[in-house]
Amino acid sequence: MNRMLKTVCAAALATVALGGLAAADYPERPVEFVVPWPPGDLEDVLTRMIAEDFQEAYGVPAAVVNRPGGGGGPFPGAISVATAPADGYTIGSFIIAIPTVGPNLGIPELSPDPFEPVGIFLTYPFVIAASADAPYSTMEELAAHAQDNDVTLGHFGAPLVPTRVTMALAASQGFSFASDAAFDALDCNTLASGDADVINTTLQLILPCLDSVTVLASIGAERISLTPDAPTVAELDPSLNVALWNGLFVHRDTPQEVRDRIAEVAQATVMSERAQALAAETGALVYWQDAAAATAQIEADIETLGTISGMLD
């Protein structure tokens, strides 16, 4: 256990000894961290680190439960958190789309937004990619190719932020995809099999075949360190400047003492050496943005996504 985590554990024990019953009683039974995607991507890896440290800090079982949506995006997983008791024993590890898009989809469990952030801890290295042997290597070349050829886009779900950004970028470049399809995983096999011509996915999922893939653009405010030659979407169209992040969320009725305990461990984990080493290896940004800053981030993202909706709807 690193020094920061030891400090967190000591603080947690002091809270149990000196605090009120609500804080002292939590946690006293197993805790679930719900990741609404299949295992293996960055949010899953980092959430597993947080769960391991949570178990060590508080002495109760803590596990990640993967609840992918079968092509329906992360929303079935989010519903499972929304309908669980607001007691901190079911914690969501959610992407930007849950609080910004979810309340607008007509899903009763998600509208109005039932969640509040504990904190944001990850900005994905998210990319728009194609096979290296595709007849285009830039978004401009893709736009020219799409004028006379059908191009299929693979994505994680039509309403999700990366999909909307990718389609808005296509519109600003003067073309549209001939078809699109949702996948639970978008990796090297998706391109190799020809299931999609272009995919928007996290860099983590295509790292094993990065030499045989062309990254056309990255989604975020800064270029990704592992693909420095690929421009950001914001460079190609400044109105599409949005970052793709992941954070921990609880039901809005969850007690503050419980949120504080979750945040103590999560912050220590993501700032640990092993989490920062993962960031360096993958090109991700791993950090801790507290609840107040995360709330402000969500409000700004909702405004940006309104601009994107105006381009597409």
Side-chain angles (χ1 to χ4, degrees), residues 9-72:
C9 294
L13 292 173
T15 302
V16 171
L18 300 175
L21 288 177
D25 287 349
Y26 178 84
E28 60 180 1
R29 55 186 172 84
V31 173
E32 289 186 351
F33 291 81
V34 175
V35 173
W37 302 108
D41 211 343
L42 287 173
E43 80 290 326
D44 180 71
V45 175
L46 284 164
T47 305
R48 288 178 188 277
M49 290 184 186
I50 293 170
E52 290 169 2
D53 289 349
F54 191 95
Q55 179 168 307
E56 188 167 4
Y58 297 126
V60 298
V64 168
V65 177
N66 297 92
R67 291 189 176 135

Side-chain angles (χ1 to χ4, degrees), residues 96 128 139 161-174 217-222 232-244 300-301 303-312:
I96 178 177
I128 303 171
M139 286 300 301
V161 175
T163 312
R164 303 281 285 175
V165 169
T166 302
M167 290 183 170
L169 179 61
S172 75
Q173 295 279 315
S218 62
I219 302 175
E222 301 176 5
T232 67
V233 169
E235 289 177 63
L236 300 174
D237 186 337
S239 70
L240 304 179
N241 185 13
V242 63
L244 304 173
D301 289 336
E303 183 175 347
T304 301
L305 294 175
T307 299
I308 292 172
S309 293
M311 297 176 65
L312 296 177

Side-chain angles (χ1 to χ4, degrees), residues 37 70-71 153-157 181-186 190 195-196 199:
W37 302 108
L153 173 68
H155 53 72
F156 287 117
F183 298 81
D184 273 339
L186 290 160
T190 313
D195 289 339
I199 59 176

Side-chain angles (χ1 to χ4, degrees), residues 12-207:
L13 292 173
T15 302
V16 171
L18 300 175
L21 288 177
D25 287 349
Y26 178 84
E28 60 180 1
R29 55 186 172 84
V31 173
E32 289 186 351
F33 291 81
V34 175
V35 173
W37 302 108
D41 211 343
L42 287 173
E43 80 290 326
D44 180 71
V45 175
L46 284 164
T47 305
R48 288 178 188 277
M49 290 184 186
I50 293 170
E52 290 169 2
D53 289 349
F54 191 95
Q55 179 168 307
E56 188 167 4
Y58 297 126
V60 298
V64 168
V65 177
N66 297 92
R67 291 189 176 135
F75 302 109
I79 291 170
S80 72
V81 180
T83 55
D87 53 12
Y89 288 95
T90 305
I91 302 161
S93 183
F94 292 158
I95 60 169
I96 178 177
I98 300 299
T100 61
V101 177
N104 303 317
L105 295 179
I107 301 172
E109 295 87 349
L110 302 182
S111 182
D113 184 6
F115 304 116
E116 289 183 351
V118 175
I120 291 172
F121 62 84
L122 165 68
T123 298
Y124 292 92
F126 216 99
V127 298
I128 303 171
S131 293
D133 59 2
Y136 40 82
S137 59
T138 66
M139 286 300 301
E140 292 83 357
E141 292 175 357
L142 170 59
H145 178 81
Q147 301 302 322
D148 300 311
N149 300 273
D150 289 345
V151 179
T152 298
L153 173 68
H155 53 72
F156 287 117
L160 299 186
V161 175
T163 312
R164 303 281 285 175
V165 169
T166 302
M167 290 183 170
L169 179 61
S172 75
Q173 295 279 315
F175 78 98
S176 60
F177 293 97
S179 60
D180 63 274
F183 298 81
D184 273 339
L186 290 160
D187 51 26
C188 303
N189 292 330
T190 313
L191 290 173
S193 65
D195 289 339
D197 302 305
V198 176
I199 59 176
N200 56 18
T201 188
T202 65
L203 191 62
Q204 171 81 1
L205 292 179
I206 57 172
L207 275 179

Side-chain angles (χ1 to χ4, degrees), residues 249-271:
F249 286 76
V250 293
H251 194 282
R252 62 174 58 253
D253 295 331
T254 303
Q256 185 61 49
E257 299 95 330
V258 171
R259 302 181 195 211
D260 291 343
R261 287 200 155 200
I262 297 166
E264 282 178 339
V265 172
Q267 181 175 5
T269 298
V270 299
M271 299 311 296

